[in-house]
Amino acid sequence: MKFDTLVIGGGHAGIEASVAAARMGMKVGLVTMDINTLGRLSCNPSIGGSAKGHLAKEIDALGGVMPRIADASGIQFKMLNTSKGPAVWSPRSQNDKDLYPLYAQNLVLSTPGITIIPETAEEILVKNDAVTGLRTASGEEIYARTVILCSGTFLNAVMWTGMTNTEGGRVGERASHKISDLLAAYGLEKGRLKTGTPPRIDKRSIDLSGLTPHNGDEPPCPFSITTKRVKNWLACWATTTSEQTHDILRTGFDRSPMFTGRIRGAGPRYCPSIEDKIDRFSEKSSHIIVLEPEGMSTDTVYVNGFSTSLPPDIQEAGLRTIPGLQNAKILRHGYAVEYDFFFPYQLTFGLETKAISGLFFAGQINGTSGYEEAASQGLIAGINAARKVRGEDPFVLSRSEAYIGVLIDDLVNKNTEEPYRIFTSLAEYRLLLRIDTVYDRLLPKAHTLGLIDGSIEARWRRSYEFRQRLSSLTETTKIQPAAANPVLVESNEDVIPETTTLATVARRPTVPLRRLLDAVGVLSPTLLDEHNDDVVAVQTEIRYDGYIKKQRRDVERFALNEQLNISSTFDYDRVSSLSTEAREKLKRIRPQSLGQASRIPGVSAADVSILTLYLK
């Protein structure tokens, strides 16, 4: 068999990579051990969350499929961080763990150009430092011009519960052994990381009386521009651990694979296990636990906040000290997974390996954690594998264009010592990267790439043109005190003594632009209802106008450094004034521009100044 692109792995990265490459006209082979595990939500059955929701929206704007699948399988939808500024508003959905993979499988199977290959990839074939295909466990050789490796947590993977370990990337699924070692033999540097998952319990054994319900938003907002409506079906419930819980869990620390050194890989700092939280934050007497239903037709509940690899008896004893879980029945104990990854400084910004032409990495193989991070990388890898086949330059998003750009820039430039997850604090231009600007930033690019059809582009353009019109109207339309002051009084703002523009009044932090528009009657209520999200977006632009203009000036300065290219063969040893650490980092990462060089840890401002003078 021969393909343009082979994708290894049917997780979130593999799905996005396959669909993107196929939509760009590639003949794609998707190699997966079992088609029934395609798109499985192996940990928390949810999509989005703080900053992760930004990634999901960007995936949608670029024609990806995760947001559509999340909307179709969602059982609860919330917008997080709404008490803060709009730059950090982020959507999240709770999803049905059985429906999500079914929708994913149907979407992949219905995408023209994709062939499912139910095999285990055992070796990536390389000739003259370029990928040529792969060899399966059955000995079959499959050829391709590009290969995308989306191996998740399966490379030399071991699962731990207490001092007991079994091979596998998740329960019931085998580990992959040969690929990792063979890639290392080609000179690619690898390491070990760890992730984990909490117990699943029977919801019929939970006492919900006294627990705090976490309901979805009304009305709920979908992820995708293509989704008309979503619905909240189920609530989540919050409870907490106690000192008693912590004392019981501590009795199992001498049988913890993490504390006894059996697990060598670093775990995610910002999503630690419950035992790690107790050990690191000993001053805290409790930790929040959220009980999240895993679906409409299942009784399993995900115990969010209780990820653990402690022995089963300790897990059970600790859980039963938590309010509401006194009689909890564990359906599956928590466990940790330790697996190989490859340091992502060995990649280009297009996610192609520097050592092997045509070989792309996406997902947890690059040291990331999370479905959304994986899907983002899969989408970019799929696009660039197709462009590689066509002989085109890589498609790269900058830090000022997308959270996906921040993610990939961080991976390539920074040393991965622990699983990477995205945060809004990592984006220096986050006021420009709000979810209400995502389609303006990225949808035209997706249309040019051939990832979305004309009807979606036309829908976005109607929204864009309305916002342009409304922005102009707010600057030119006058509002008299008689119309403005009732709105200002109900918003607890000072009244105005004379006529002024709508934009001037709308800059006040508590005044809704929609109420002002209704007061002047410049646009019909029906039109404003249809474009409610656009009105909110324009309101944000008005309120943060000064800050937004400042960030855009910063982006212009940022772009100047990005345009100063550095040759891949540049001899840093000739620049004797560079610090030793900077020289070592620059030689290892081989930055493509001065801007990239300036973001490498260990390269100081003085080093950048020296390099700037030398390059000029």
Side-chain angles (χ1 to χ4, degrees):
M1 287 190 287
K2 290 186 177 181
F3 293 91
D4 295 311
T5 299
L6 279 171
V7 178
I8 302 173
H12 303 286
I15 289 169
E16 297 292 351
S18 301
V19 173
R23 284 181 177 169
M24 292 176 69
M26 298 298 106
K27 183 181 178 184
V28 177
L30 174 55
V31 182
T32 179
M33 297 181 193
D34 182 356
I35 189 174
N36 294 313
T37 64
L38 205 69
R40 177 172 288 178
L41 298 170
S42 54
C43 194
N44 192 355
S46 72
I47 299 297
S50 185
K52 291 172 177 284
H54 288 77
L55 289 180
K57 293 291 288 184
E58 291 179 355
I59 291 167
D60 188 57
L62 287 168
V65 297
M66 171 179 272
R68 301 184 191 191
I69 301 170
D71 286 342
S73 62
I75 57 179
Q76 188 192 86
F77 297 84
K78 293 188 75 170
M79 186 68 71
L80 305 185
N81 302 325
T82 53
S83 63
K84 302 177 182 178
V88 296
W89 294 356
S90 199
R92 182 187 188 273
S93 66
Q94 192 69 21
N95 293 84
D96 189 302
K97 70 169 185 178
D98 298 318
L99 286 178
Y100 189 99
L102 286 177
Y103 281 114
Q105 291 159 28
N106 181 66
L107 193 149
V108 171
L109 289 169
S110 62
T111 300
I114 298 178
T115 300
I116 303 291
I117 304 171
E119 276 275 13
T120 298
E122 197 154 274
E123 181 183 353
I124 292 174
L125 303 176
V126 178
K127 184 178 181 180
N128 297 327
D129 296 329
V131 75
T132 61
L134 63 84
R135 182 178 293 110
T136 69
S138 63
E140 181 182 9
E141 292 190 353
I142 306 173
Y143 300 100
R145 299 170 69 180
T146 54
V147 172
I148 307 172
L149 182 55
C150 311
S151 53
T153 61
F154 285 83
L155 296 182
N156 290 330
V158 179
M159 297 179 291
W160 291 88
T161 301
M163 306 305 283
T164 302
N165 70 79
T166 54
E167 291 186 357
R170 60 188 170 209
V171 169
E173 297 181 55
R174 303 186 308 274
S176 175
H177 292 291
K178 288 189 177 179
I179 284 182
S180 180
D181 295 336
L182 288 169
L183 288 174
Y186 283 115
L188 290 164
E189 183 187 359
K190 67 177 181 175
R192 293 286 275 179
L193 291 176
K194 182 211 82 150
T195 189
T197 192
R200 270 52 162 197
I201 60 177
D202 191 329
K203 70 180 179 182
R204 294 167 298 187
S205 67
I206 302 172
D207 179 7
L208 295 177
S209 62
L211 301 188
T212 305
H214 281 198
N215 296 308
D217 293 339
E218 290 297 344
C221 295
F223 279 104
S224 178
I225 192 175
T226 64
T227 304
K228 292 183 179 179
R229 187 170 54 205
V230 291
K231 183 177 179 180
N232 290 318
W233 295 95
L234 296 175
C236 300
W237 299 83
T239 182
T240 62
T241 62
S242 65
E243 286 286 11
Q244 184 186 7
T245 313
H246 302 175
D247 289 341
I248 288 174
L249 296 181
R250 286 189 187 99
T251 65
F253 281 11
D254 61 344
R255 292 185 286 151
S256 162
M258 184 174 67
F259 292 135
T260 57
R262 298 295 184 91
I263 293 177
R264 302 190 313 276
R269 188 193 328 171
Y270 299 104
C271 187
S273 64
I274 186 65
E275 56 264 39
D276 198 20
K277 283 190 275 192
I278 292 169
D279 183 58
R280 285 166 48 192
F281 308 110
S282 57
E283 73 283 357
K284 294 196 69 171
S285 59
S286 66
H287 295 282
I288 294 173
I289 301 294
V290 181
L291 306 176
E292 300 177 335
E294 292 201 311
M296 300 286 289
S297 57
T298 178
D299 290 322
T300 61
V301 171
Y302 180 94
V303 188
N304 196 342
F306 204 87
S307 175
T308 182
S309 57
L310 288 169
D313 60 313
I314 300 297
Q315 292 187 33
E316 185 169 334
L319 273 177
R320 289 188 170 176
T321 64
I322 296 173
L325 305 185
Q326 296 90 335
N327 300 306
K329 179 183 177 182
I330 295 180
L331 300 174
R332 193 179 80 197
H333 290 94
Y335 63 92
V337 185
E338 189 179 24
Y339 56 95
D340 285 354
F341 81 105
F342 285 85
F343 289 97
Y345 73 82
Q346 301 167 109
L347 302 175
T348 68
F349 288 122
L351 298 182
E352 184 179 12
T353 60
K354 297 173 183 176
I356 302 172
S357 177
L359 176 62
F360 295 78
F361 288 171
Q364 285 175 288
I365 189 173
N366 291 333
T368 61
S369 68
Y371 308 142
E372 302 81 5
E373 288 89 343
S376 299
Q377 294 169 72
L379 179 59
I380 298 300
I383 292 169
N384 284 320
R387 292 177 71 84
K388 177 86 173 181
V389 170
R390 292 175 177 176
E392 298 171 349
D393 291 337
F395 173 74
V396 175
L397 292 169
S398 74
R399 299 183 70 91
S400 61
E401 289 179 301
Y403 273 87
I404 296 175
V406 174
L407 165 69
I408 295 174
D409 190 77
D410 281 351
L411 289 176
V412 172
N413 286 332
K414 297 178 181 178
N415 195 21
T416 307
E417 300 293 347
E418 61 188 40
Y420 177 99
R421 73 158 287 180
I422 194 70
F423 286 98
T424 54
S425 59
L426 298 173
E428 56 269 55
Y429 308 114
R430 56 185 172 274
L431 193 53
L432 303 181
L433 304 184
R434 308 184 313 273
I435 57 171
D436 62 356
T437 68
V438 65
Y439 298 104
D440 295 352
R441 288 183 277 120
L442 301 178
L443 193 142
K445 297 177 187 290
H447 189 244
T448 300
L449 289 166
L451 294 170
I452 60 168
D453 60 38
S455 64
I456 298 173
E457 196 271 346
R459 188 183 311 176
W460 161 76
R461 190 160 295 283
R462 285 195 299 273
S463 168
Y464 178 78
E465 289 173 353
F466 175 84
R467 280 181 279 116
Q468 296 296 107
R469 177 188 172 195
L470 181 57
S471 293
S472 177
L473 277 173
T474 61
E475 295 291 345
T476 58
T477 302
K478 304 284 188 174
I479 185 168
Q480 296 179 351
N485 287 342
V487 180
L488 292 170
V489 169
E490 69 182 44
S491 303
N492 295 316
E493 293 279 356
D494 293 337
V495 298
I496 59 172
E498 56 189 31
T499 299
T500 187
T501 64
L502 276 175
T504 300
V505 182
R507 285 191 181 94
R508 301 195 184 189
T510 62
V511 179
L513 176 59
R514 172 60 193 268
R515 290 282 291 110
L516 295 174
L517 292 169
D518 288 337
V520 296
V522 68
L523 295 171
S524 74
T526 302
L527 182 63
L528 293 173
D529 287 342
E530 179 186 345
H531 289 276
N532 182 65
D533 290 345
D534 294 320
V535 173
V536 174
V538 171
Q539 176 177 280
T540 299
E541 291 282 334
I542 291 171
R543 286 183 181 170
Y544 292 89
D545 180 59
Y547 298 101
I548 289 171
K549 285 178 178 175
K550 179 182 182 301
Q551 286 211 343
R552 287 181 176 144
R553 290 194 296 270
D554 291 342
V555 168
E556 290 173 4
R557 288 192 290 270
F558 169 83
L560 292 175
N561 281 344
E562 297 301 306
Q563 292 167 9
L564 192 53
N565 295 326
I566 303 176
S567 168
S568 61
T569 59
F570 185 87
D571 185 2
Y572 293 98
D573 289 327
R574 291 168 55 194
V575 190
S576 57
S577 301
L578 289 173
S579 69
T580 301
E581 182 182 7
R583 188 177 294 107
E584 290 174 353
K585 295 286 184 68
L586 292 165
K587 287 164 68 175
R588 186 178 73 160
I589 294 174
R590 290 282 164 191
Q592 298 173 16
S593 68
L594 183 66
Q596 183 189 354
S598 70
R599 297 190 297 277
I600 297 173
V603 178
S604 70
D607 293 318
V608 173
S609 297
I610 292 164
L611 195 56
T612 303
L613 291 170
Y614 195 92
L615 289 169
K616 288 181 177 180

